[in-house]
Amino acid sequence: MKTMNEKMFVGLTRRGFLNVAKGSAVALAVGGLTAVGKAATEHVLPALPYPSNGLEPVISANTISFHYGKHHKAYVDNLNKLIAGTQFAAMPLEKIIMAASDKTDSVAIFNNAAQAWNHAFYWQSLKPKGGGELPAALKQKIEASFGTLEACTNELTAAAVGQFGSGWAWLVLDGEKLKVVKTGNAGNPMTQGMKPLLTIDVWEHAYYLDYQNRRPDYVKAVIEKIINWKFAADNLGGS
Ligand code: FE
């Protein structure tokens, strides 16, 4: 299991989520275990792409220890329990999300699968010493879609701050254009046919230990200091 986890991490860090977002066979946070045993497929918690204090001072190691070590881990563990012996057991994570979306009898499976995916995507959407200059192709696409980078980050900020209750703000590719969208709870824009490029978690567990109720301060600091534009550019790829 450990070996698989390490393999997954290497795959994720090398290839990012480009392939995942394109819906290829590279499945996010899924160990495609084919070895003998009761589970044909076991979903694994992917390793963080930086040390737990790597996002300080924007996000503390304390927040990461709970957010990654408890919340994210629980989504993965719960998912494995929920899908055991069901039609979802052998599916890659994205397939589960798509198959369980909007099904009233698979709400818990959808929630845990989407939260497992969303969190792995969120960790990659951030990086130590992020923000700053954008890769040229992404900048061009942003300017074509929003007019200016500032208009894009303003929209992203408004979506993140304005999401009522728990949820996510996303930069996505929708057809030919980039868009900012927000989703509640475990929602993921892929279920609406959009391709996620980056995300910001606005559940209170993402910021409350560091910012208490000041979500706007968390969002501002994330976008200015630790957002991973390179990751978004990689996901955009040659789309
Ligand atoms: Fe979260």
Side-chain angles (χ1 to χ4, degrees):
M1 181 61 70
K2 200 172 176 207
T3 311
M4 179 55 69
N5 201 344
E6 284 165 2
K7 268 192 202 157
M8 284 303 300
F9 177 52
V10 169
L12 287 173
T13 51
R14 278 203 192 139
R15 309 185 66 173
F17 290 78
L18 186 58
N19 291 315
V20 173
K22 282 184 172 168
S24 83
V26 178
L28 173 61
V30 178
L33 300 182
T34 49
V36 285
K38 21 179 205 179
T41 302
E42 178 118 347
H43 300 271
V44 297
L45 180 68
L48 272 181
Y50 31 74
S52 61
N53 64 355
L55 301 177
E56 289 187 338
V58 177
I59 298 175
S60 67
N62 192 30
T63 289
I64 299 282
S65 75
F66 284 95
H67 196 181
Y68 170 74
K70 304 288 184 193
H71 291 276
H72 189 180
K73 181 176 188 303
Y75 294 127
V76 175
D77 290 346
N78 288 338
L79 177 66
N80 282 325
K81 281 182 207 147
L82 286 165
I83 60 174
T86 74
Q87 58 172 313
F88 301 101
M91 289 182 191
L93 196 51
E94 287 189 29
K95 249 192 162 172
I96 298 176
I97 293 169
M98 297 304 285
S101 174
D102 291 331
K103 301 236 167 42
T104 50
D105 57 348
S106 333
V107 173
I109 288 176
F110 172 82
N111 285 340
N112 284 281
Q115 285 293 81
W117 195 99
N118 293 356
H119 280 87
F121 199 76
Y122 169 65
W123 303 127
Q124 299 278 340
S125 297
L126 309 177
K127 70 168 195 176
K129 300 197 177 81
E133 272 302 301
L134 279 69
L138 176 64
K139 196 172 178 206
Q140 218 169 22
K141 192 83 173 172
I142 283 179
E143 287 171 351
S145 302
F146 296 93
T148 62
L149 172 61
E150 196 187 2
C152 171
T153 54
N154 285 346
E155 260 197 56
L156 189 59
T157 301
V161 172
Q163 166 58 33
F164 185 79
S166 299
W168 302 82
W170 306 81
L171 179 66
V172 300
L173 180 66
D174 185 19
E176 289 301 302
K177 286 197 103 183
L178 300 190
K179 265 171 59 174
V180 164
V181 296
K182 56 191 179 186
T183 58
N185 298 317
N188 185 306
M190 77 169 75
T191 63
Q192 308 299 318
M194 295 179 259
K195 179 176 173 182
L197 302 184
L198 62 76
T199 193
I200 302 175
D201 187 344
V202 295
W203 283 58
E204 284 186 347
H205 64 224
Y207 61 86
Y208 218 83
L209 294 175
D210 298 328
Y211 297 85
Q212 293 77 50
N213 61 329
R214 302 187 310 277
R215 189 195 287 184
D217 292 353
Y218 155 74
V219 171
K220 184 173 190 290
V222 164
I223 292 175
E224 284 177 3
K225 295 177 180 151
I226 56 170
I227 204 78
N228 188 350
W229 291 119
K230 166 83 167 52
F231 176 63
D234 287 348
N235 288 325
L236 182 62
S239 302

